[in-house]
Amino acid sequence: NAGVTQTPKFRVLKTGQSMTLLCAQDMNHEYMYWYRQDPGMGLRLIHYSVGEGTTAKGEVPDGYNVSRLKKQNFLLGLESAAPSQTSVYFCASTPTSAILEEQYFGPGTRLTVT
Amino acid sequence: EDQVTQSPEALRLQEGESSSLNCSYTVSGLRGLFWYRQDPGKGPEFLFTLYSAGEEKEKERLKATLTKKESFLHITAPKPEDSATYLCAVQAVSNTGKLIFGQGTTLQVKP
């Protein structure tokens, strides 16, 4: 199993450009998450999904959109990138929250917006 | 508001010098507390889950403990390969499926 994979690993955008980050998991997990990590601020939840076709807002959702059309994929979109969105983005998944489960993280995407 | 605070922000130890990392939390009802390890340029890797006050878990040189207000990650006789950022996170009863992370403690162990 590959676990959780993220595409791309690095990206540089200009202000106003758009892009989509792809997260894929092959563990048949129900729950998927998008976080951003900034120096000194830990991981902050952007959006999450409790199953195929569902999404919900996290702590810092503004400027981002998500979609979960297939159970194994969770897409994070930036419609008009801003320098404040320069960060490292992590995707995570977990089987279900019905029982307490660890979250499995991807390797991250480093995004720079100039 | 649910909140997690870790201290210190950074810790430098000599190889073999034991110490503890602190995770203080405020949550309406604790469902579970997680410890993760994160190496530079990588995603967090799961270490422990603690569910109730008084619980302890061990893995090699690491031992995690939990009280009603905080958790400690004790590192006994650390080695350079223990150098990493250690993240604490809580899951509240009212927010199942969502984790609230602290800002992390960056540990450097010198040989």
Side-chain angles (χ1 to χ4, degrees), chain B residues 35-83:
Chain B
W35 281 99
Y36 285 84
R37 170 189 170 128
Q38 186 176 23
D39 293 306
K42 295 188 176 181
E45 183 180 329
F46 172 77
L47 290 173
F48 305 108
T49 306
L50 302 168
Y51 298 94
S52 58
E55 187 175 4
E56 298 182 352
K57 288 193 176 176
E58 290 187 62
K59 181 179 181 179
E60 296 182 356
R61 295 175 292 281
L62 301 177
K63 183 169 82 172
T65 62
L66 181 65
T67 72
K68 289 186 177 180
K69 294 183 178 181
E70 57 192 351
S71 176
F72 292 94
L73 185 64
H74 306 278
I75 303 176
T76 301
K79 297 182 178 182
E81 53 262 42
D82 294 322
S83 298

Side-chain angles (χ1 to χ4, degrees), chain A residues 71-92:
Chain A
K71 186 177 183 179
Q72 64 268 32
N73 295 336
F74 195 28
L75 278 64
L76 178 70
L78 286 73
E79 290 186 347
S80 180
S84 60
Q85 294 177 305
T86 293
S87 187
V88 181
Y89 292 85
F90 288 100
C91 176

